[in-house]
Amino acid sequence: MTQWLHALNLDGNVAPSNMAAAKHIVTRHAKLVFAQRHGGQAVQKGRMQCLASQPSPVWLSPNKQQYFCGRCAAMSKRVGITVYLKMENSQPSGSFKIRGIGYLCQQLASQAKGFVCSSGGNAGMAAAYVTRKMGAPATIIVPSSTPHLFVQRLKDQCATVKIIGKVWDDANAEALRLVKTEGLAYVPPFDHPLIWKGHSSVILEVAASLGPNVKPGAVLTSVGGGGLLCGLVEGLKDAGWMDVPIIAMETVGADCLNASVKAGRIVTLDDITSEAKCLGAKTVCTKAFEYCQSNEIKIISEVVTDQQALHAVETFLDEERVLVEMACGATLAAIYSGVVQRLQEEGRLPPLMGPLLVIVCGGSNIDTEQLSILKQRLQTK
């Protein structure tokens, strides 16, 4: 049976890095909440129960309920250890990106006449959602690889959408040009300290939920440009969990971090050939690479194929009744394709003294039609 964790109401903005203040508020205000995105019910999907509530506390909602995690029985059985899922797909914008992007936009709001974000995926959706709520104009630059479904969703958030280039790097160059020519505030999808600070709230919430005597045995996540990875590292440091390793997953053809780790220097990929387009940064951010090199926190970089990521998406849909995109499938493939077990057998991942925390990053760039298209594409490869 699922172990329900505490959901939390915060009175006012608490910086994600301020663990002492957060713990004080947790002690004072924590209560059990069974919440959906639009109110008050426990959500059960397949063998997993999860908590989903209102927007993340790091931007502008007066209701500061957060997104907590639940035990996944099917995954726990597969790997032989307790697995908790952090269901970031339940965020209003469909992914964890609203944390960092929202926090950054909040900090820039007083000096910005408008925002521009380069994103072929969830960062753009987060920026569009947050700026609409703020009443600020936003231009989202996306590469041509972005599905029409996603472009339309951006427009539905009242954002101006421009399609530029083939990959994210091309779109980003146009965004930087608009910063200079039109004076817009730049919202990078992953490479900014305020974004990392916002993303660190993921770990703050887990720490608040698990209590003072429990911590994860490891954190499992996917990596695109490295923003979430940086935020998780910062969150672990803030929580005093420096001994908790991170398993950082990518797909072949979108593996800029893994290529850099192997080379011992930052590597820029020639092209993004993976179908996991939301992992499609050709170059990982410098801070993420530095964290991998520093050994402050053990980061294990692993790569799976697109086929393995797709299999994970389909298995997660079958077992948990939740549809996520390929970028998230890379994370889930670590369980469904036996990566976690292999790492333990090789001695690269020590025996876990706590639950495996899986960041279900989301996102909004998937539906059943897109899933069918992905299956057809990968069958021909």
Side-chain angles (χ1 to χ4, degrees), residues 210-239:
L210 295 180
N213 299 318
V214 182
K215 63 182 176 181
V219 179
L220 178 58
T221 188
S222 60
V223 178
L228 177 58
L229 178 60
C230 289
L232 293 175
V233 170
E234 291 193 5
L236 290 173
K237 291 167 68 175
D238 290 338

Side-chain angles (χ1 to χ4, degrees), residues 190 196-197 199-200 225-235 285-289 291:
F190 53 82
W196 311 332
K197 184 176 182 179
H199 293 339
S200 72
L228 177 58
L229 178 60
C230 289
L232 293 175
V233 170
E234 291 193 5
C285 72
T286 300
K287 192 64 175 179
F289 176 72
Y291 277 139

Side-chain angles (χ1 to χ4, degrees), residues 188-353:
F190 53 82
D191 196 0
H192 196 287
L194 291 177
I195 290 177
W196 311 332
K197 184 176 182 179
H199 293 339
S200 72
S201 61
V202 171
I203 299 299
L204 181 150
E205 291 176 8
V206 173
S209 299
L210 295 180
N213 299 318
V214 182
K215 63 182 176 181
V219 179
L220 178 58
T221 188
S222 60
V223 178
L228 177 58
L229 178 60
C230 289
L232 293 175
V233 170
E234 291 193 5
L236 290 173
K237 291 167 68 175
D238 290 338
W241 292 347
M242 301 284 286
D243 57 339
V244 176
I246 298 175
I247 306 170
M249 300 298 300
E250 297 172 284
T251 52
V252 176
D255 49 349
C256 59
L257 176 65
N258 188 261
S260 298
V261 169
K262 288 180 176 178
R265 58 180 175 83
I266 293 180
V267 172
T268 298
L269 303 178
D270 293 333
D271 197 6
I272 301 299
T273 57
S274 171
E275 293 296 335
K277 300 304 181 185
C278 286
L279 298 182
K282 292 198 293 184
T283 309
V284 72
C285 72
T286 300
K287 192 64 175 179
F289 176 72
E290 290 175 349
Y291 277 139
C292 290
Q293 298 295 100
S294 71
N295 294 320
E296 282 186 276
I297 289 176
K298 184 178 180 65
I299 298 174
I300 305 169
S301 174
E302 282 291 316
V303 175
V304 293
T305 65
D306 276 356
Q307 287 79 6
Q308 288 173 313
L310 178 62
H311 170 71
V313 169
E314 294 181 298
T315 305
F316 197 62
L317 178 59
D318 288 342
E319 291 190 352
E320 311 303 340
R321 307 298 188 264
V322 178
L323 179 60
V324 295
E325 62 189 41
M326 287 278 285
C328 187
T331 300
L332 302 174
I335 291 178
Y336 293 132
S337 295
V339 174
V340 172
Q341 295 94 319
R342 173 173 58 78
L343 290 174
Q344 291 182 313
E345 291 169 1
E346 294 172 352
R348 295 172 60 199
L349 180 67
L352 301 187
M353 304 306 293

